[in-house]
Amino acid sequence: MKYDFMRNSRWWRRSSCASAMKNLCSSHTLKPLVPVLVLVVVVIYGLAQNLRNFVANIFIPQYHYPYAVALCFAQQYSRSLGERLLVPAICNSIHAVLGMWGKAINPYAGLTPVILPLLPLLTAGLSFVLKLASLPSIHISLLLSILSGSSIAISAFKGLSGVVPLEYMYAPLALILHSLSLNWLAKVSDTERQHSPDDQASIFDIYYTQLVNQSWVLGLLWLLHPDSPWQVLKEGSWHSLLFHGYLLAILLLGMVLNFTVSILALCVSPLSAALLYSARQLLQPFILLL
């Protein structure tokens, strides 16, 4: 009886999410609202991203706490599903560490924001390589190429300031790892949809398993920190309430942003998740020209 309840609950979660998306896209009444809803999601995500960057830019320089791994920790575990999600967990963990390292080195500039508009284009290319079910059209790929190239050209024309030499290696690596993580998540989701309804894992099961895997990987990276994990704990200003407030804000905002991107990759497509993640950096150069 317990197994039947868990099986029915899992089927309900997947079917309700899928039917909600299908009804939203097919309903003639709601179809005109889809662009508005997309715009609202992008704006809210951008505001949350700006808030997290603002808090991080205050927290890291003020408390001299640039330990990237420590700042990235932000049902029943399925072993078989966990094995298939090991690659995106490793990729996403290393990407998170490299991204936080970039903020610690240079909070207001650097190479990563400049090349981030390439993420949707790279994600679209990997979607074809991995033969995902939701492939972007040639017209969309061409439009992304023009948009990404123009955005990078405008940013590069204004000049790069404060780029650390290591960023020329770490920034492209972080971009590739993030794109691979999004596409692999979608690949696992596509594989699960091919199973019978009784054996399918819901998107929340996939996200939960991915989160558990990523926690283990981040824990391992923390233990491998050159300054030792005890030094990371020792350097924290744990007696300060502001320290706890900033740290909690970074973790909670990061968790919400990561959840939004991951669920979008699982429910819609990795390209839509990449567009949401890089929307601010992709459009900001054009907005500044106005």
Side-chain angles (χ1 to χ4, degrees), residues 191-211:
T191 303
E192 288 297 321
R193 291 192 186 100
Q194 297 174 3
H195 296 163
S196 63
D198 294 340
D199 298 328
Q200 284 184 9
S202 70
I203 57 172
F204 299 105
D205 293 331
I206 297 174
Y207 177 76
Y208 170 76
T209 306
Q210 154 83 357
L211 198 63

Side-chain angles (χ1 to χ4, degrees), residues 78-252:
S78 171
R79 182 178 177 181
S80 61
L81 186 60
E83 291 174 352
R84 283 182 285 153
L85 290 170
L86 188 59
V87 171
I90 294 175
C91 293
N92 206 29
S93 299
I94 298 177
H95 163 263
V97 172
L98 293 177
M100 190 59 69
W101 174 82
K103 293 182 183 298
I105 296 298
N106 196 343
Y108 302 102
L111 185 63
T112 301
V114 176
I115 67 171
L116 192 57
L118 287 175
L119 180 62
L121 186 61
L122 183 60
T123 303
L126 284 177
S127 298
F128 285 101
V129 173
L130 295 177
K131 299 179 180 179
L132 299 182
S134 56
L135 293 175
S137 65
I138 301 298
H139 296 89
I140 293 179
S141 301
L142 182 60
L143 179 62
L144 285 176
S145 302
I146 298 174
L147 192 62
S148 301
S150 302
S151 178
I152 292 176
I154 295 173
S155 300
F157 180 77
K158 295 181 179 180
L160 300 176
S161 59
V163 178
V164 180
L166 281 176
E167 277 194 272
Y168 290 103
M169 179 179 66
Y170 287 161
L173 177 60
L175 203 68
I176 294 172
L177 291 175
H178 194 195
S179 176
L180 181 59
S181 173
L182 294 176
N183 279 283
W184 206 287
L185 277 176
K187 184 72 172 178
V188 173
S189 181
D190 290 344
T191 303
E192 288 297 321
R193 291 192 186 100
Q194 297 174 3
H195 296 163
S196 63
D198 294 340
D199 298 328
Q200 284 184 9
S202 70
I203 57 172
F204 299 105
D205 293 331
I206 297 174
Y207 177 76
Y208 170 76
T209 306
Q210 154 83 357
L211 198 63
V212 173
N213 284 353
Q214 189 171 336
S215 299
W216 284 107
V217 175
L218 285 172
L220 177 61
L221 293 175
W222 188 24
L223 292 175
L224 296 176
H225 195 281
D227 294 335
S228 79
W230 317 121
Q231 184 70 16
V232 173
L233 294 175
K234 182 180 177 181
E235 292 293 328
S237 301
W238 304 106
H239 60 280
S240 173
L241 291 178
L242 280 176
F243 180 88
H244 288 278
Y246 284 133
L247 183 60
L248 184 62
I250 292 175
L251 293 177
L252 291 178

Side-chain angles (χ1 to χ4, degrees), residues 54-73:
F54 174 76
V55 175
N57 292 341
I58 295 176
F59 174 78
I60 295 175
Q62 180 174 346
Y63 292 99
H64 306 288
Y65 197 72
Y67 298 106
V69 177
L71 296 178
C72 294
F73 279 104

